[in-house]
């Protein structure tokens, strides 16, 4: 069965924290829907749905840190009944379709009678809940028979259990619907959940609501650093949302720097780089872009950076020896061209999101993709598709005015392409001295995987493609 | 553009189109003669975003050939009020 997994933002990222589920078990989802938000040392990542289907089981509770690659949830084909749990799992049933089972009325003050499914044949399994809920209940000493299930079909979800645990403590706190992670955030920040207006389903308080409330109270009272919560990276601190932006966890620049340092050190220690550079005439590209941009709306303008990405993506198809990974002492060519794009953060540091299948995108689509990954990277809120493992990376420092940049290869990739600024340079034109717009393209490549001749062929291919920009 | 803009309105539009590239306080305090790309470390994507916002705010198509006139807040205001 297909699964959503904890995404990674690079080979040196080992774990992530599940911040918030945006879906429930049994929900119909479509390709591109955001099902969960996770947090990593470098950025928050919105986990997107990769196909249409029905959410099966949520395997990881909110607020939990798990290793990269850990299954987070299962997804079943559209129209499927959520999978019947294995008989070995105690007290589990196959929930009936939500549309056929009446939702139990909300009655937090008195334990509700659980709704029994049609195919009920054992008393234990009257309590519709995932094995995870059963385990948490067991650990907390809660009898599920006394818990009211608020989900369709009377299923018991995490929020119901949280409520039961609170009630059992005999606290005088009002019963508030909230995600587990929101509760922990509120607890850490010393905010009463009951005072927060929830934006989630049925007014449930979500992590973003807590952050908004915290940032609201910060204006009145000096902020204090929340105490670190165990089992969570220090990066997931509460931060005030940018105006007009969803609140994002803050990422500790020192931790981000450590990750970059580790990745670069490993690259330089393990990869024997060779370096090539080539001067590329940009007259044709510049003229074509200027004409194209004169004819399209301002919002559809294409920048030279997108043209350069398109040239790299297509050139590497003709020189596939540079597109792939060096793993276990051999080169593994990649069947797709997933372009890593180095994005400089405003606060320092870099993030390298990926444009998947860049060689198949038309130029306007590639421009849209480039803007998307750059904006999301700078907002430290990526999508899981941005975390697709890249097959080759591009770094472009032309906007900062450098002539050339020789990048450090992102292992286990075997090449990184660098572009400097397009500048007017004196050069020989038809036997005379002329001035033309030119740029320096570079290649840093892994000498274990390829030799200079391959690299030279690649740079030549990039140059050739840029002379006919209308074909990109 | 239906009517010509006052300098004050144009200045507000320019600073508004820069939102997100620095804190609101620093944008409000940005001197009129500060070079935008260098001061705010704008790359070509950022600058395109700025131009898009400005175009939309004043309902005026800004050509790439006009970019050389959009180097500072003062020069942007000059461009908008004389366009």
């Amino acid at each position: 069965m297909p699964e959503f997994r904890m995404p990674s933002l690079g080979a040196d990222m080992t774990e992530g924290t599940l911040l918030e589920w945006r879906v429930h078990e049994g929900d119909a989802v479509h390709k591109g829907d955001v099902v969960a938000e996770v947090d990593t040392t470098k950025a928050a990542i919105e986990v997107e749905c990769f196909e249409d289907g029905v959410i099966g089981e949520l395997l990881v509770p909110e607020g939990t840190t798990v290793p990269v690659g850990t299954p987070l949830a299962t997804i079943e084909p559209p129209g499927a009944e959520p999978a019947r749990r294995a008989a070995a799992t105690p007290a589990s049933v196959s929930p009936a379709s939500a549309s056929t089972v009446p939702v139990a009325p909300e009655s937090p003050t008195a334990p509700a009678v659980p709704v029994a499914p049609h195919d009920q044949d054992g008393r234990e399994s009257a309590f519709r809940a995932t094995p995870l809920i059963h385990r948490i209940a067991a650990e907390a000493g809660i009898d599920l028979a006394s818990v009211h299930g608020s989900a369709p079909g009377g299923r018991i979800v995490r929020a119901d259990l949280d409520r039961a645990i609170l009630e059992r403590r005999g606290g005088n706190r009002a019963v508030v619907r909230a995600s587990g992670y929101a509760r922990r955030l509120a607890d850490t920040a010393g905010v009463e959940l009951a005072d927060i207006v929830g934006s989630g389903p049925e007014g449930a308080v979500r992590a973003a609501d807590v952050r908004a409330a915290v940032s609201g109270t910060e204006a009145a009272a000096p902020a204090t650093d929340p105490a670190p919560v165990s089992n969570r990276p220090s990066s997931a601190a509460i931060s005030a949302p940018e105006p007009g932006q969803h609140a994002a966890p803050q990422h500790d620049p020192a931790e981000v720097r450590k990750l970059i340092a580790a990745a670069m050190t490993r690259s330089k220690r393990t990869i024997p780089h060779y370096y090539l550079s080539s001067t590329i005439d940009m007259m044709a590209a510049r003229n074509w872009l200027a004409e194209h941009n004169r004819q399209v709306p301002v919002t559809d303008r294409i920048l030279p950076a997108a043209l350069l990405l398109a040239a790299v993506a297509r050139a590497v198809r003709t020189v596939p020896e540079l597109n792939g990974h060096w793993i276990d002492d051999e080169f593994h060519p990649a069947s797709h061209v997933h372009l890593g794009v180095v994005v400089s953060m405003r606060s320092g540091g870099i993030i390298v999101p990926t444009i998947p299948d860049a060689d198949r995108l038309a130029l306007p689509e590639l421009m849209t993709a480039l803007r998307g990954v750059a904006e999301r990277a700078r907002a430290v809120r990526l999508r899981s598709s941005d975390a697709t493992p890249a097959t080759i990376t591009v770094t472009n420092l032309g906007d900062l005015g450098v002539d050339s940049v020789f990048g450090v290869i992102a292992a286990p990739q075997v090449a990184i392409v660098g572009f400097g600024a397009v500048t007017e340079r004196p050069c020989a034109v038809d036997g005379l001295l002329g001035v033309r717009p030119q740029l320096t393209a570079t290649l840093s490549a892994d000498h274990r995987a390829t030799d200079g001749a391959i690299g030279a062929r690649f740079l030549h291919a990039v140059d050739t493609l840029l002379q006919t920009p209308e074909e990109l | 553009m239906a009517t010509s803009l006052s300098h004050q309105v144009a200045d507000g539009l320019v600073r508004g189109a820069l939102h997100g590239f620095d804190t609101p306080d620093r944008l409000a305090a940005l001197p009129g003669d500060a070079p935008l790309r260098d001061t705010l470390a704008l790359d070509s994507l950022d600058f395109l975003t700025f131009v898009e916002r400005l175009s939309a705010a004043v309902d005026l198509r800004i050509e790439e050939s006009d970019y050389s006139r959009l180097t500072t807040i003062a020069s942007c205001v000059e461009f908008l009020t004389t366009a």
Side-chain angles (χ1 to χ4, degrees), chain A residues 228-386:
Chain A
V229 178
S230 62
N231 206 26
R232 276 180 45 218
S234 58
S235 58
I238 296 171
S239 67
E242 289 278 312
Q245 269 200 341
H246 187 61
Q250 261 188 340
H251 297 88
D252 183 352
E255 291 300 317
V256 173
R257 199 70 246 163
K258 277 185 199 166
L259 273 181
I260 297 170
M264 299 303 158
T265 304
R266 196 161 60 93
S267 172
K268 282 290 190 171
R269 272 196 186 145
T270 60
I271 301 178
H273 290 55
Y274 70 86
Y275 304 99
L276 305 176
S277 74
S278 180
T279 300
I280 296 178
D281 189 282
M282 292 293 284
M283 182 76 92
R286 192 184 65 177
N287 291 346
W288 182 83
L289 272 182
E291 188 53 38
H292 173 87
N293 288 344
R294 258 198 298 275
Q295 295 172 4
V296 298
V298 177
T299 48
D300 293 348
R301 261 174 208 167
I302 291 173
L303 296 173
L307 209 56
L308 298 175
L309 290 182
V312 168
R314 284 154 180 74
V316 87
R317 273 203 315 223
T318 65
V319 189
E321 297 92 336
L322 293 170
N323 187 58
H325 305 100
W326 183 264
I327 299 167
D328 294 336
D329 290 332
E330 63 176 342
F331 176 65
H332 298 259
S335 52
H336 299 266
V337 179
H338 299 324
L339 270 192
V341 181
V342 181
V343 177
S344 298
M345 306 298 283
R346 295 192 206 287
S347 56
I350 52 171
I351 287 189
V352 190
T354 301
I355 300 177
D357 293 310
D359 59 324
R360 299 187 197 171
L361 297 179
L363 200 50
E365 294 172 326
L366 195 55
M367 177 68 197
T368 302
L370 172 61
R371 291 190 82 168
V373 295
E375 283 167 12
R376 291 192 293 273
R378 286 180 169 159
V380 291
R381 182 173 295 280
L382 296 170
R383 293 181 188 158
S384 46
S385 58
D386 302 335

Side-chain angles (χ1 to χ4, degrees), chain A residues 293 296 301 371 378 399, chain B residues 44 49 52 61-62 64 67:
Chain A
N293 288 344
V296 298
R301 261 174 208 167
R371 291 190 82 168
R378 286 180 169 159
D399 287 336
Chain B
S44 52
T49 301
E52 278 179 19
R61 182 183 166 89
I62 298 173
E64 286 183 320
Y67 287 5

Side-chain angles (χ1 to χ4, degrees), chain A residues 194-244:
Chain A
D195 299 337
I196 299 174
V197 178
S199 65
E202 296 180 54
V205 176
R206 303 172 57 170
D209 303 324
V210 179
R211 293 190 200 105
V214 169
S215 63
T217 57
E218 279 173 354
T224 53
D225 282 344
V229 178
S230 62
N231 206 26
R232 276 180 45 218
S234 58
S235 58
I238 296 171
S239 67
E242 289 278 312

Side-chain angles (χ1 to χ4, degrees), chain A residues 5-51:
Chain A
R5 292 175 179 273
M6 177 59 75
S8 167
L9 270 180
D12 293 272
M13 192 158 290
T14 56
E15 61 181 21
T17 302
L18 199 134
L19 290 185
E20 196 156 20
W21 282 112
R22 306 264 182 94
V23 292
H24 302 95
E25 292 171 359
D27 283 359
V29 287
H30 301 285
K31 187 176 179 180
D33 287 356
V34 175
V35 298
E37 184 178 340
V38 303
D39 196 26
T40 66
T41 306
K42 272 192 169 180
I45 303 176
E46 292 180 326
V47 179
E48 295 164 288
C49 209
F50 45 83
E51 60 188 23

